[in-house]
Amino acid sequence: MVIDTKKVKVLIVDDDKFLLNMYSIKFGKNGFEVQTGVGGADALKIMHDGFIPDIILLDLVMPGMDGLELLTKIKTENLAPKAVVIMLTNQGQPSDIKRAEDIGVAGYIVKATTIPSEVVDEVVKLYQARKV
């Protein structure tokens, strides 16, 4: 099954503006509608302002509110009820992965070992798996 990425909204949340820009360009070139949030508070504002993502990519370690705290808030406030949530982080410890899985993430990608095009491929694969 091939998805029509033009209808798929992606929210990428990270505190690294360089990475946000790079992933935004990569997903945009693949036809996704992309919004980026610099940290948890920014991401919440984007969703409160009406952007309802189909896919959320979250960094784990961010100042103020980490990715799992943000995910808990998103779920509590029901901001993106159908979103496929994927951790995109450099934290690859089994305990971090387990915490993320316990909260209900669909996937876990370690930035340091995955090039951007592989990130897009993995996100598409995880999104398709959830939508079948």
Side-chain angles (χ1 to χ4, degrees):
M1 176 177 114
V2 175
I3 62 170
D4 179 3
T5 57
K6 287 177 181 44
K7 295 182 174 88
V8 180
K9 295 179 180 179
V10 178
L11 176 61
I12 307 170
V13 187
D14 201 310
D15 58 326
D16 184 326
K17 291 181 183 176
F18 173 79
L19 286 176
L20 284 175
N21 187 45
M22 179 184 63
Y23 285 118
S24 179
I25 290 168
K26 199 61 156 167
F27 278 91
K29 282 185 176 175
N30 282 278
F32 290 89
E33 180 181 336
V34 182
Q35 286 276 341
T36 58
V38 183
D42 196 31
L44 288 173
K45 181 181 181 331
I46 289 166
M47 286 183 275
H48 285 143
D49 287 348
F51 185 79
I52 300 170
D54 300 297
I55 299 168
I56 302 173
L57 295 174
L58 287 177
D59 189 13
L60 185 59
V61 179
M62 296 182 288
M65 180 187 322
D66 75 23
L68 296 180
E69 289 173 299
L70 174 58
L71 178 54
T72 301
K73 266 191 170 315
I74 291 168
K75 287 179 177 266
T76 302
E77 296 182 31
N78 204 29
L79 294 172
K82 295 185 172 122
V84 175
V85 181
I86 301 162
M87 299 308 292
L88 179 61
T89 183
N90 276 322
Q91 306 304 308
Q93 298 299 323
S95 59
D96 293 324
I97 296 170
K98 171 116 177 60
R99 282 177 53 217
E101 288 173 346
D102 288 348
I103 294 180
V105 301
Y108 200 101
I109 301 169
V110 178
K111 289 186 267 194
T113 60
T114 314
I115 61 171
S117 60
E118 292 172 338
V119 171
V120 172
D121 292 345
E122 184 67 15
V123 167
V124 168
K125 193 167 65 176
L126 290 165
Y127 181 73
Q128 287 175 326
R130 279 288 174 104
K131 295 298 171 187
V132 172

